[in-house]
Amino acid sequence: MRRCIFLLVAWIYTARSVPCIPRDFGNNGTVCVCNATYCDSTPELEVPDIGFYVHYTSSKDGLRFSRIDGVFNKELRADSESFRLDFDTTFQPIHGFGGSFSDAATMNIKTLSLDTQENLMRTYFTKEGSNYHFGRVPIGSTDFSTRSYTYDDYEGDVSLEKFCLADEDLLYKIPLMKKALEFNPEIKFFAAAWTAPPWMRTNNNYTGYGFLRNEYYQVYAEYHEKFLNKYEDHGIKMWAITTGNEPFYGMLSITYYNSMGWLPKDVGTWVANNLGPTICESRHNKTLILVYDDSTTGLVSYINETFSNELARKYIAGIAIHGYTDASISENVLDDTHENYPEKFLILTEYSNGSPDADTGIVPLGSWDLGENYILDIIENLQNWVTGWVDWNLALNKYGRPNWRGIYGDSAIIVDPETDEFYKQPKYYAIAHFSRFIPPGSVRIGLTDGLTSVKAVAFKTPKNETVVVMYNAYLTDRNVTIYDSRRGQIWLELPPKSIHTLIYY
Ligand SMILES: *[C@@H]1O[C@H](CO)[C@@H](O)[C@H](O)[C@H]1NC(C)=O
Ligand SMILES: *[C@@H]1O[C@H](CO)[C@@H](O)[C@H](O)[C@H]1NC(C)=O
Ligand SMILES: *[C@@H]1O[C@H](CO)[C@@H](O)[C@H](O)[C@H]1NC(C)=O
Ligand SMILES: *[C@@H]1O[C@H](CO)[C@@H](O)[C@H](O)[C@H]1NC(C)=O
Ligand SMILES: *[C@@H]1O[C@H](CO)[C@@H](O)[C@H](O)[C@H]1NC(C)=O
Ligand SMILES: *[C@@H]1O[C@H](CO)[C@@H](O)[C@H](O)[C@H]1NC(C)=O
């Protein structure tokens, strides 16, 4: 009887899901097409009673959040790879997943009709979509802007009297951030400056080899406070700020996009003497300070040097990292960093991959390979103490633009203003297989695997649901068994190139 009721409930939920409308652009994978009146979604999950599980699959072959409901088995199965859940071993608590409200992203979203914009924001920020809980926002311009600017480009304005938000904030970023807040009031925003105003820098430029001049350390801290004030005036509070995006680029004389160098000792001094006290004594005393905000090569020594300043270490809550370095490098440095400073959480604040084709100028729409790369990056980070994973531009156009430096990119959602459509790429589903089901406050739990060909990671959510995400990167099926000593076993046959999320009580 109970099973009948359950199957009926499952049927109702399945019936309410809106399927993907696929489109194939010939890049070894498909996108799902959304417009003003249509967008694929799956209803918020009501987890079934003990003894049953829900299994979602997305695959290179075109499955997108395809749902199957199952029952635990009691017998053993011989011919499969096995995973054993270990609820007594717990790792990091999770802060969440999200994407970035860059100038490029928000300008692109605003090229769509209001209804299509609504569908795009809904697909990222509601529980029927990605259930994003994070939004990163640049303080001023980045390379993904149409121009370089800061909020005080007036030489010598040390009192910051002329500090002023830009059109980019008022017309694009803030309205869309408010929209995101409507869909998810619990969303956490955090901000980072790519550079100080040029007049505060040693090379008087937005780019290139340059550092903050000593005499402006306090002014630059107040510049951050002003930014927090202005955004709060618009109803947006920041959960955290970082000490600046990618400090390594400003220490290289060959890179010419918005960036400012921070030597590890100097950033420690700035936090200890200026940024830390300024934020603590302001009305933003709850806003956290994160350090680093760069790729993990060099992470361990950088953090050691910064934290040799005890006061800086006290003010800094967490370590922000980017995902651009080779996987095998990052694993050890993440573990080492966690071991050295277990009280400081690690969070990935930026990753992206892909770029427009050199001949056509168009991004590889639908590429499963780029989605797979996201899946593997997320799993690896989660397996190594990282508490959150935040994608770069929420959206770009099919030329991967705009970027004033001409270094174009790719993103999980691509907008096409000509047709008033947007395309959800495999990367979108890659993140959503985690973000939807692993809310903030979830904790990673132990998962021992007999064989390592299938990648997997497991969590307990605040509601005591168990969530397991798995990826079969192979070109053949893989049979796997998941053992839960309390419930029994789940037997699955994972198709080639497929991602899976299992949820149960
Ligand atoms: C698609 O995959 C095939 C086989 O791996 C490869 O040769 C081809 O270059 C890929 N095409 C694209 C556009 O990625
Ligand atoms: C939106 O997409 C749906 C599903 O593909 C289609 O039926 C509808 O005609 C589209 N609407 C517009 C305005 O293109
Ligand atoms: C900033 O640096 C770029 C790259 O070298 C250069 O083209 C530009 O003229 C510089 N701007 C200023 C104001 O010096
Ligand atoms: C922190 O800021 C709030 C206002 O946002 C203020 O009411 C409170 O007194 C401040 N706390 C401290 C310790 O300064
Ligand atoms: C989750 O389980 C623990 C014991 O394992 C229990 O103490 C707690 O109340 C449960 N939480 C919820 C939300 O059910
Ligand atoms: C997976 O198990 C099924 C039977 O449950 C079997 O037919 C199939 O050959 C197995 N596949 C692999 C790759 O072992």
Side-chain angles (χ1 to χ4, degrees), residues 393-426:
N393 300 294
L394 283 167
L396 292 174
N397 63 26
K398 65 185 176 199
Y399 307 106
R401 300 180 189 203
N403 180 299
W404 72 267
R405 281 292 300 137
I407 305 163
Y408 307 124
D410 187 17
S411 53
I413 286 182
I414 295 292
V415 304
D416 189 345
E418 282 162 37
T419 54
D420 195 35
E421 289 173 325
F422 63 90
Y423 306 131
K424 291 162 73 177
Q425 303 222 63

Side-chain angles (χ1 to χ4, degrees), residues 202-459:
T202 51
N203 68 338
N204 197 25
N205 206 326
Y206 298 99
T207 68
Y209 183 79
F211 300 86
L212 187 65
R213 299 167 75 102
N214 282 323
E215 62 266 41
Y216 296 129
Y217 270 32
Q218 183 54 29
V219 179
Y220 193 44
E222 285 160 18
Y223 176 90
H224 281 77
E225 184 190 353
K226 284 233 166 187
F227 166 80
L228 295 173
N229 289 343
K230 295 280 185 198
Y231 263 67
E232 195 173 55
D233 291 347
H234 286 279
I236 294 167
K237 281 184 190 270
M238 291 295 155
W239 169 75
I241 51 172
T242 86
T243 49
N245 181 71
E246 299 188 344
F248 278 110
Y249 279 104
M251 297 192 261
L252 302 170
S253 49
I254 46 157
T255 47
Y256 294 113
Y257 54 86
N258 321 45
S259 55
M260 185 173 78
W262 265 128
L263 291 166
K265 272 222 155 50
D266 292 346
V267 83
T269 306
W270 182 57
V271 170
N273 299 344
N274 310 103
L275 186 69
T278 300
I279 297 302
C280 249
E281 288 155 23
S282 78
R283 61 188 218 234
H284 311 289
N285 52 37
K286 289 222 165 62
T287 300
L288 306 178
I289 296 174
L290 312 180
V291 75
Y292 197 67
D293 216 357
D294 207 333
S295 291
T296 51
T297 321
L299 174 67
V300 173
S301 61
Y302 193 101
I303 294 298
N304 284 344
E305 266 198 70
T306 303
F307 283 179
S308 68
N309 185 323
E310 284 294 330
L311 195 51
R313 183 172 170 181
K314 217 184 83 200
Y315 280 122
I316 290 166
I319 299 163
I321 57 165
H322 294 185
Y324 297 109
T325 38
D326 174 34
S328 58
I329 303 174
S330 41
E331 260 186 58
N332 291 334
V333 301
L334 295 178
D335 285 354
D336 290 350
T337 305
H338 171 75
E339 224 164 85
N340 294 344
Y341 307 103
E343 77 282 10
K344 308 298 180 194
F345 63 82
L346 283 161
I347 176 169
L348 186 140
T349 49
E350 188 182 313
Y351 188 56
S352 67
N353 65 15
S355 56
D357 180 87
D359 295 329
T360 64
I362 294 177
V363 297
L365 289 165
S367 163
W368 183 264
D369 285 354
L370 294 179
E372 172 174 290
N373 174 268
Y374 263 43
I375 295 166
L376 297 175
D377 191 82
I378 297 170
I379 291 181
E380 184 187 38
N381 277 285
L382 292 174
Q383 283 174 337
N384 292 281
W385 297 103
V386 173
T387 65
W389 198 97
V390 182
D391 195 16
W392 183 212
N393 300 294
L394 283 167
L396 292 174
N397 63 26
K398 65 185 176 199
Y399 307 106
R401 300 180 189 203
N403 180 299
W404 72 267
R405 281 292 300 137
I407 305 163
Y408 307 124
D410 187 17
S411 53
I413 286 182
I414 295 292
V415 304
D416 189 345
E418 282 162 37
T419 54
D420 195 35
E421 289 173 325
F422 63 90
Y423 306 131
K424 291 162 73 177
Q425 303 222 63
K427 289 189 262 195
Y428 167 91
Y429 299 90
I431 308 168
H433 263 269
F434 301 87
S435 58
R436 245 189 101 120
F437 306 105
I438 309 168
S442 300
V443 175
R444 182 163 79 90
I445 57 171
L447 186 72
T448 51
D449 53 308
L451 284 163
T452 54
S453 72
V454 171
K455 304 268 183 203
V457 61
F459 301 86

